[in-house]
Amino acid sequence: MYTTGVTPQTGVWWKPAHRSEKVWFTIAFIWCMVLFAMMPLWHLKGGQNPSGIRARVDPTAYRERVQQFIADYQVGKDENSGIPIVAPPPGSDIYLQGQMWMWLPVLQLQQGAQYTLHLSSIDVNHGFNLYPFNVNFQVVPGYDYGLRITPTEAGDFRIICNEFCGVGHHLMVGRVIVVSMATSSTDASTGGDR
Ligand code: CUA
C-alpha cells in the first residue's frame, strides 16, 4: 500500500553524517587497519604458518625423484598394501607422492629428527591430513611443497586424503611410522645402509 501525498524532496538530499555515524565509521576504519596490519604480522610471527618451501615441479620428474628416494632408503614393505617402507636418514629430504588412490611410500622416521618433507601429486589435487593430528596441506600436481618437520611423537600414524579425488578417495590412506628415540638407533642400523 502506498500512501499518497509524500513526494520525495528534490534538491539537497545529503545531510552531514550524524555524530554516532562518524564514531562508528572511525571505529570500523581503525579495526580495518588493525586487521590489515595483522595479515603480514601473522605471517611473520604466527606459529600456525608452515615453514614451507615451494617450487614448481614436473609430475614426471617428481615421480622419478620418489622412485630414487625409495631405491635409496627402502627397508621393507607394508604387509597389507605392499607399499615400500622407506627409512631416510635424519636431516634428509624426504618425498611423499599423492596419486589416485594411494600415498607413496610409507615413511619411517625418527622421533626428534628433522626432515624436509616434500609433497606433490602426479595426477589430481589431493589433501594431506596426518591423522590424528590437525595437520593439513594441499597436495597439488606441478608443485613441490617442502615442509620442515620434526616428529615429536612416536607411533604408527595414518595419512588421510581430505580432498575429493575420485571414486577411490576414501581408500586413499597412507602411513607414517615414527620410531621412538630409545629404539631408533637399532632401526637406523637396519635402514641406513641398505
Ligand atoms: Cu586423494 Cu582424495
Side-chain angles (χ1 to χ4, degrees), residues 101 125-126 161 163-165 169 172:
W101 291 283
N125 247 44
H126 299 282
C161 182
E163 194 69 51
F164 182 74
C165 56
H169 163 69
M172 191 169 165

Side-chain angles (χ1 to χ4, degrees), residues 63-101:
R63 181 187 215 144
E64 282 165 13
R65 205 176 285 171
V66 172
Q67 288 305 322
Q68 189 58 51
F69 173 62
I70 293 168
D72 287 346
Y73 304 120
Q74 182 169 357
V75 291
K77 270 186 180 185
D78 185 286
E79 63 273 19
N80 294 316
S81 62
I83 294 173
I85 299 173
V86 174
S92 62
D93 282 57
I94 61 177
Y95 297 87
L96 189 68
Q97 171 181 311
Q99 69 183 90
M100 293 185 281
W101 291 283

